[in-house]
Amino acid sequence: MTTFPPPDFTQPKFADFPDARFAPAPADGVLPDGFFSTTNLPTFVRLDGAWIAPREPRMDSGIIMDPDGVLWVREGRRLKKGDMVAVGDKEDGSQGIYVQTQLVPHGVDPDAFTFMSSEVSREKPIDYAHMAKVLIEEKERGGYPIWVTGPALVHSRARTDMSWFIANGYVGALLAGNAVAVHDIEASIYGTTLGMTNTGEITQGGHGLHMRAINMVRAAGSIANAVDQGIITDGIMYECVKHKIPFVLTGSIRDDGPLPDVITDALAAQDAMREHAIKATMAILVATALHAIATGNMLPAFVSQDDGNMRELATICVDSSEFVVSKLKDRGTHQAFGVVTNAQDFMHILRLYVERELDTRGAAARTAAEPAAR
Amino acid sequence: MTTFPPPDFTQPKFADFPDARFAPAPADGVLPDGFFSTTNLPTFVRLDGAWIAPREPRMDSGIIMDPDGVLWVREGRRLKKGDMVAVGDKEDGSQGIYVQTQLVPHGVDPDAFTFMSSEVSREKPIDYAHMAKVLIEEKERGGYPIWVTGPALVHSRARTDMSWFIANGYVGALLAGNAVAVHDIEASIYGTTLGMTNTGEITQGGHGLHMRAINMVRAAGSIANAVDQGIITDGIMYECVKHKIPFVLTGSIRDDGPLPDVITDALAAQDAMREHAIKATMAILVATALHAIATGNMLPAFVSQDDGNMRELATICVDSSEFVVSKLKDRGTHQAFGVVTNAQDFMHILRLYVERELDTRGAAARTAAEPAAR
Amino acid sequence: MTTFPPPDFTQPKFADFPDARFAPAPADGVLPDGFFSTTNLPTFVRLDGAWIAPREPRMDSGIIMDPDGVLWVREGRRLKKGDMVAVGDKEDGSQGIYVQTQLVPHGVDPDAFTFMSSEVSREKPIDYAHMAKVLIEEKERGGYPIWVTGPALVHSRARTDMSWFIANGYVGALLAGNAVAVHDIEASIYGTTLGMTNTGEITQGGHGLHMRAINMVRAAGSIANAVDQGIITDGIMYECVKHKIPFVLTGSIRDDGPLPDVITDALAAQDAMREHAIKATMAILVATALHAIATGNMLPAFVSQDDGNMRELATICVDSSEFVVSKLKDRGTHQAFGVVTNAQDFMHILRLYVERELDTRGAAARTAAEPAAR
Amino acid sequence: MTTFPPPDFTQPKFADFPDARFAPAPADGVLPDGFFSTTNLPTFVRLDGAWIAPREPRMDSGIIMDPDGVLWVREGRRLKKGDMVAVGDKEDGSQGIYVQTQLVPHGVDPDAFTFMSSEVSREKPIDYAHMAKVLIEEKERGGYPIWVTGPALVHSRARTDMSWFIANGYVGALLAGNAVAVHDIEASIYGTTLGMTNTGEITQGGHGLHMRAINMVRAAGSIANAVDQGIITDGIMYECVKHKIPFVLTGSIRDDGPLPDVITDALAAQDAMREHAIKATMAILVATALHAIATGNMLPAFVSQDDGNMRELATICVDSSEFVVSKLKDRGTHQAFGVVTNAQDFMHILRLYVERELDTRGAAARTAAEPAAR
């Protein structure tokens, strides 16, 4: 992963740049004319001659200065009338706002003819060993990997593998929709998803089973209650409850039910997701366009390290087609690394490589420990 | 795997069947007229009263009898002039050739081998003329066609065509998300969508334009206000406001802004959509998985007619891949007719065919009216 | 569009059916146990001997009777405690609720509403355990599994796994094109495919490496010669040569080179492929439309067993999209079982399951053998 | 389209570069070690101090000097022992060979954050007006547009539109496979393609109709004979024969029949295609991966103009998914412009825009002519 220092603001070109200008929000939820529209890249605002990075970076938002002079990146809808908002449309510092572009892809070497230069392709090798190492390192350094998943994950029975990742400490938070939890809970109660067994057979009367599962959880009052009452006895939601891994279930117009834990208001749901996006040090987006792009919208492209440097926020996007990954990049999440495969297979192999890497490390550790043991 | 015995040729129905007929190949590599064209299914040929399976079965070939009376399946190109070839076009034994259909999946015709039996395929012809007639008839009988669209419709500039359908009375209600309206309004104000011009060029600083468009409408208070104030001067939302066509904009976690008209609570949004779904007599779902499946969930598969009969609720689902249509059907909207194409092209051709049909009807009406006019 | 009358409830079968039963909602937004879960099809509920269609039909909801005795289809979340809800799980009228299935497409079960009835979908589970068993059994009974592969298999580094299957006796014959062998040999000589390393990096000047690899084999005279001379030292073609597994490399207009072993005449190539197709007892088609459909064209759908019965010829078709499998079926290879995933991942997991199954059998064999060992 | 002058070889950096080196082919069809592997970009070879562009440029080939000192780009398989072949692996001129990279895409502006920067996407607008103009201009200046089409074109009834383009002078040559001609001829004789009618209905016994159509043409001896004998009375092949537009039908292992005109040897087929690729001034590739990539392999990325400048060879690639276009680019045809849509719709709209443009030009011409007429 790319690591890079903050800009060197002692360079001559920065010397003559002015402080950023601010203008008040004309009404609640409305930005002033000419507001600076943020990206997900490292951004610095000049205040009294110093270049300050606003907190909680994300794209498509404004930069506000609170009464204490602290800068925040904030969605327009959350503004109050009179909030002071940075204005400008240049990203080169000439209006007091500077955006660092190290993470923007540079395309192919413009001076060479090559094959295989496309960004996302099912023909590119998938480096599971590397992904497994990154994930293990995240766990070791106390990172906060967020997993964002679509229902295909459960539907196609990667459920066991996802449960394993939760139970073994590789999940900081789970962001998903109603359907993921519904399919998962139907699988726990009835052994089917949308009435289909785990070998793909369709059961008689199966079309009603997800409705019955939802109804049982609604009767229990919450997923956690349903776990406590022994209604839900295994799976993704079960492991989240047991291991106290936070989950955000966001509502959509497709939802049946919904389950009682679902946040049905889209803006409240965004706020709940953003609490985790702010903390994220890695993002794994599996088999979902809606949730992946929603998360991409609110995720910085970088992580600020303790040593003052920044590093790319490792973002893996898994889908059956190149389209979702390209779409995610086309919405500005350029740092996304695309894996074009079936979600079920991705989960299974990633887990396998994590287990292998742990075995290797365990063996190495034992070997290293042996002389001492003698 | 399916295992099955050969046919029981002692059954009465086989008693009166004749031996197969053979005719000589008229030239090297040429089959005789009326040759029997093979399938890949178990096949039996009646010779002297016995049913014999030819050797080396495959599809798209002939059945030849060699000089020793042995039957072979052979490609036409491998024939020599004079080779004796089985003739016939029935597979039920009545011409001495019987094809066993146990392995044919149920669907289309459970008793016949066919090509092109898949339900949804980009290789199927798209009958625009038929769709245009259905749409015109819906308008004429006062039907309520609901259109459910994704942002690709606007993004790829089918915007003009969609506006035409609204302005000309072919839209009962429009169900969409925040993004459709945002792109449409950005196009009206700035001439771009997500900063891309209508020829696909990317504009400098363009990534903020949709945020500026949203902000202007938020300041105006509603889309209708923005139309009244001359901020929005053309396009989809403009035509809806001008022609008083109801629209439902439902929120999602991907939304920027959102626009003030957006219903952000998923359940309130479902209720608003359902008001129109209840009245729907036709549904056209273009370039959206989320909204299409949400609408499919709440749409009956049929319309009750005044005469007491029911008819299928015509449901057209347009997407670039077979997947969305299959997914819609897999969620129970079996009546959906899939059109696998680009949304922009679909809109353009459908409009063209509607205009042609109207021209034809107009000409016919004028012709019919002419004698009276004399 | 299909038009049809309501059911004829004077038919004898309806005579003995009871009125529908109703139970009260136990809480707001919660359906009673055993509630009837609706579909989008015409539905009739027997009340005092009359069959009534509830208003506002949709799927995934309950049927409630309001205080005036009017029936409504209503989402569970909208119920109030005590609302009377129809119960039952039969749709044939025997519990007082009848669903009309005219609109259900034939397929799966022509008389039932189901979800997930499409034939090929990335959302269907992939039963690797079953495929592994079938493959092991083929080996044990001396079957002849033919593998038909596209270049993605090598390009994306499933090369090691394919080599393993060849070396371990799971491949009767390999049918492929020039490109599979070219990429495989480039990988053996240079460690790249089309100049891309196995971690996806593009090498300087790499675009010529496949041409250099081809040229070396052309100079050697054949792939076998190149193996003998130590030019090719590992990989798919190497294992075929070492283990005397027959391979057919067929030419196409896309070919560079070609390699000396390639059969450039399409008809001679078909004849060479057919020699193996005739013997095939199983077919595994991975990541190739051209070769898969070519093989499908010449493959019977069945195998004749020694016991006189026939069984389906197990045909697995692996591709990244549903399209290739549907196309194969649309060309008559109805028996194909579709696996929608990345070729690399398919190969890796299939091998893993074969190894697991062998371990299990080995352990079982050892356990069985143990008493004798005592 | 990009137009650009040849390199300025008077620049100082070229002063010290040596002449290119040549080495003899060690055997028929074998290149010497270290041969220079060509690209599709403008390439110049230093001979006696002058920079010469070899004739008939294409990628993946060698550069040979014939006995008269003329340079040719030639596939390795076509070499004779002793042919003199340029050697080297640098493209910057330092070994006497210089490749001009103006046509290599430079990727996104590396210093700006943008949306919609992917190269190929169904979300990009399709500029039919521009394509129509380019095509009309090609006709007007006597260009040689080659059309390369897959069977989907016929299968989905773009057949009428393709016939129109041929009959009206927009096709220099048609490159396709057996299947295009087979479906087209089945449609002319039986009104079906693979037994499916033009409204998508499957006909009884229809699976044999393409075989019967093939057989009739085989009996006639050639497609031209079948046209002359009144067997084929309309469609793509009919118009080619009537208007003497050359066509190349290349064989593949998928072919049924094949038709008598099909070139079954892949290398002979490549040579036949290349005769047209050398002359091409534009390429339109519709709904075919195999033929598109085969043509891309042998097509220069540029056209040499009479004025000494070069221009990009306009290459349009139409497919239902982004994948084929990306794959084409990944094989080096970087100049391809991708149109992601259904082939049927593409053909229909392109024709419509050509007709509209002609109408506009006709009206303009009439208006311009009017004053003189007064």
Side-chain angles (χ1 to χ4, degrees), chain B residues 117-188:
Chain B
S117 57
S118 70
E119 288 204 340
V120 184
S121 168
R122 66 194 71 171
E123 295 188 318
K124 302 265 171 156
I126 306 173
D127 195 344
Y128 285 102
H130 180 66
M131 287 189 285
K133 274 183 198 159
V134 169
L135 191 56
I136 290 171
E137 284 163 14
E138 281 292 325
K139 178 180 172 182
E140 286 178 347
R141 71 175 156 210
Y144 198 77
I146 59 173
W147 291 65
V148 182
T149 71
L153 196 81
V154 194
H155 217 55
S156 60
R157 299 293 158 154
R159 189 177 167 250
T160 310
D161 296 313
M162 186 70 218
S163 300
W164 184 90
F165 281 111
I166 296 166
N168 285 278
Y170 295 100
V171 178
L174 175 68
L175 312 186
N178 181 64
V180 166
V182 168
H183 292 328
D184 175 60
I185 292 169
E186 180 189 338
S188 179

Side-chain angles (χ1 to χ4, degrees), chain A residues 137-215:
Chain A
E137 284 162 14
E138 281 292 325
K139 178 179 171 182
E140 287 177 346
R141 70 175 156 211
Y144 199 76
I146 59 173
W147 291 65
V148 182
T149 71
L153 196 82
V154 193
H155 218 54
S156 59
R157 299 294 157 153
R159 188 175 169 253
T160 309
D161 296 314
M162 186 70 220
S163 301
W164 183 90
F165 281 111
I166 297 167
N168 285 278
Y170 295 99
V171 179
L174 175 68
L175 313 186
N178 182 64
V180 166
V182 168
H183 292 328
D184 175 60
I185 293 169
E186 180 189 336
S188 179
I189 299 177
Y190 295 108
T192 57
T193 54
L194 284 184
M196 176 174 66
T197 69
N198 64 6
T199 54
E201 301 298 308
I202 294 171
T203 55
Q204 201 68 18
H207 71 80
L209 296 181
H210 70 297
M211 298 310 300
R212 301 191 195 289
I214 291 168
N215 200 53

